[in-house]
Amino acid sequence: MQGAQETDTVLLSRIGTGDRAAMQTLYTRHSKRLYHYLLRLTRDGAVAEDLVNDVFVDLWKGGNTFEGRAQVSTWLLAIARYKALSALRRQKPTVESDAALENWEEPGDTPEVAAQKADKGKRLRACIEQLSVEHREVIDLVYYQEKSVREISDIVGIPEATVKTRMFYARKNLSALMARAGLDRGWP
């Protein structure tokens, strides 16, 4: 992972000089992960897509204030989170849609396994949706974005101890919700 971080850092410096190829590489490397993170935060595919573009447009226009204290992916998630929270404050509540997430399949799955995963994934997301916003966010950052406690602390702007506490209670509450929904921990 260290090599990828150094490469991302080099790409950022090249972007600062107007290198379009570096921008394309960084976008290709991080846009999908940012999109899925933003989709889970905003619950709106169009908004998530717009926000991903906003992150990279700001980066291209010179919003490059990366100081190297975290991985580039962590820094981009923090920017995306700030933009999402700002967008959510401005918009009216809308009908929730997880359609983009419900159609996720692993290559090579048999139709039966794909159907089992889709069903279990839908039920798991329903359990996650019952968690508080803070607990959902920490679950997303740990399990979907694969961020460490320190990185989550940087992204969310809270102490590491608070991240650990939120994670403990998020797991505890999610486990209880899953048990009530009849979900085991195995996959599919």
Side-chain angles (χ1 to χ4, degrees), residues 55-110:
V55 168
F56 286 100
V57 166
D58 286 355
L59 182 65
W60 181 253
K61 286 181 176 178
N64 185 357
T65 58
F66 183 69
E67 297 175 0
R69 293 183 300 195
Q71 291 182 0
V72 171
S73 62
T74 301
W75 178 67
L76 290 171
L77 283 168
I79 293 168
R81 179 182 185 270
Y82 174 79
K83 287 186 173 294
L85 294 177
S86 295
L88 289 171
R89 279 191 290 272
R90 288 190 307 268
Q91 76 179 173
K92 296 177 184 175
T94 60
V95 176
E96 295 178 17
S97 171
D98 283 335
L101 292 174
E102 289 176 10
N103 296 322
W104 185 268
E105 288 184 24
E106 291 288 327
D109 281 347
T110 65

Side-chain angles (χ1 to χ4, degrees), residues 11-163:
L11 289 172
L12 283 176
S13 65
R14 288 176 40 203
I15 290 168
T17 65
D19 186 333
R20 291 178 186 262
M23 182 61 157
Q24 180 62 41
T25 301
L26 196 70
Y27 180 86
T28 301
R29 186 174 293 162
H30 295 286
S31 62
K32 185 175 181 180
R33 178 172 274 186
L34 285 175
Y35 172 78
H36 287 288
Y37 174 67
L38 290 166
L39 180 61
R40 284 188 287 274
L41 280 177
T42 64
R43 297 183 180 106
D44 186 319
V47 170
E49 195 171 309
D50 287 345
L51 291 172
V52 169
N53 290 332
D54 285 351
V55 168
F56 286 100
V57 166
D58 286 355
L59 182 65
W60 181 253
K61 286 181 176 178
N64 185 357
T65 58
F66 183 69
E67 297 175 0
R69 293 183 300 195
Q71 291 182 0
V72 171
S73 62
T74 301
W75 178 67
L76 290 171
L77 283 168
I79 293 168
R81 179 182 185 270
Y82 174 79
K83 287 186 173 294
L85 294 177
S86 295
L88 289 171
R89 279 191 290 272
R90 288 190 307 268
Q91 76 179 173
K92 296 177 184 175
T94 60
V95 176
E96 295 178 17
S97 171
D98 283 335
L101 292 174
E102 289 176 10
N103 296 322
W104 185 268
E105 288 184 24
E106 291 288 327
D109 281 347
T110 65
E112 181 181 345
V113 171
Q116 289 173 345
K117 284 183 177 181
D119 178 60
K120 190 166 190 173
K122 185 176 182 178
R123 293 174 28 198
L124 177 60
R125 281 190 299 282
C127 291
I128 291 171
E129 286 300 314
Q130 295 177 52
L131 297 173
S132 69
V133 173
E134 293 83 8
H135 290 168
R136 277 194 316 261
E137 182 174 46
V138 79
I139 290 284
D140 179 60
L141 289 168
V142 168
Y143 292 107
Y144 294 103
Q145 304 305 321
E146 300 175 352
K147 294 299 173 188
S148 68
V149 169
R150 181 179 183 93
E151 291 170 318
I152 295 169
S153 173
D154 291 341
I155 292 167
V156 180
I158 58 175
E160 290 181 34
T162 305
V163 172

Side-chain angles (χ1 to χ4, degrees), residues 135 138-139 142-143 161-175:
H135 290 168
V138 79
I139 290 284
V142 168
Y143 292 107
T162 305
V163 172
K164 290 176 184 178
T165 300
R166 285 184 186 177
M167 194 63 215
F168 172 80
Y169 285 109
R171 286 179 178 147
K172 181 179 176 183
N173 293 339
L174 183 57
S175 180

